[in-house]
Amino acid sequence: MKRPIGPLTGFLRRFPMSASALRFWGFREWAVAALSALMVGLLLGFVTVLIPNNVFGRDIPPTLWSYPVWIATSVLSGMLIASYLRPAAPVAADGVIEPKDSTSKWGMTGGFLAWFAVGCPVCNKIALVAFGYSGAITYFAPLQPWLATAALAITVLALVFRLSGQIECKLPTARISQPERIAP
């Protein structure tokens, strides 16, 4: 009897493959990852006022854990964006349709949760409407570290599954047909 593969088992099986995929990255992939990480970091830092600016305001100062979450989200998102580059080597066009990629949704969800996690709890319009000013401080602010953890976990999952897909060969399953009977 074959044991079903759960999400954690699948992740642990794919983790070494994703590390192998990084070994095949060239200058182009790493350059796009660095540039993308910088752009995500600037955007996320600017709108959450982790980078002080005159455009956006923040009523409550950022917590100490906001900065590592901001940097980790930027780096992971940059690597995830770079994983969408086409390989530099020509790929044989055999007409095989690739399966739909759902890791982009995971990456977007991770980035969105990170924005909620490192942002000001009372500057967030959704939290402000849902909880009010004092409710955002009382109820939403304590949830932000959990949102940060979820954001990083989802982004890591997206990156691992995306990178392992660069190594893992998806072969089409062969259809086994029954031999035709010849009528006497």
Side-chain angles (χ1 to χ4, degrees):
M1 179 179 221
K2 191 174 182 182
R3 281 184 18 191
I5 296 177
L8 183 60
T9 307
F11 174 77
L12 294 175
R13 183 180 61 81
R14 290 175 178 265
F15 193 78
M17 286 190 286
S18 64
S20 295
L22 291 176
R23 286 188 232 135
F24 291 111
W25 277 21
F27 175 77
R28 185 177 74 127
E29 286 85 0
W30 287 111
V32 169
L35 184 63
S36 299
L38 181 66
M39 296 305 293
V40 169
L42 287 174
L43 180 67
L44 188 61
F46 191 72
V47 298
T48 59
V49 194
L50 293 175
I51 299 173
N53 61 72
N54 294 329
V55 177
F56 295 100
R58 189 175 179 119
D59 293 340
I60 297 174
T63 57
L64 288 178
W65 56 262
S66 295
Y67 293 100
V69 169
W70 168 45
I71 292 168
T73 299
S74 302
V75 170
L76 291 170
S77 297
M79 291 175 69
L80 187 60
I81 291 168
S83 73
Y84 282 91
L85 287 177
R86 289 190 182 265
V91 178
D94 55 0
V96 175
I97 298 173
E98 290 293 321
K100 186 177 177 184
D101 182 23
S102 64
T103 57
S104 61
K105 294 177 188 171
W106 293 359
M108 290 296 292
T109 302
F112 191 67
L113 286 176
W115 173 65
F116 274 120
V118 298
C120 174
V122 295
C123 303
N124 183 333
K125 302 300 183 217
I126 297 171
L128 202 56
V129 168
F131 300 114
Y133 189 86
S134 62
I137 294 172
T138 305
Y139 301 114
F140 184 68
L143 290 177
Q144 287 182 303
W146 295 100
L147 290 174
T149 303
L152 291 175
I154 289 171
T155 308
V156 165
L157 279 173
L159 184 61
V160 166
F161 276 83
R162 181 76 190 155
L163 289 174
S164 67
Q166 293 178 353
I167 297 294
E168 186 178 50
C169 181
K170 297 192 186 249
L171 297 174
T173 56
R175 185 183 293 184
I176 300 173
S177 61
Q178 297 292 332
E180 294 182 25
R181 293 185 186 239
I182 301 174

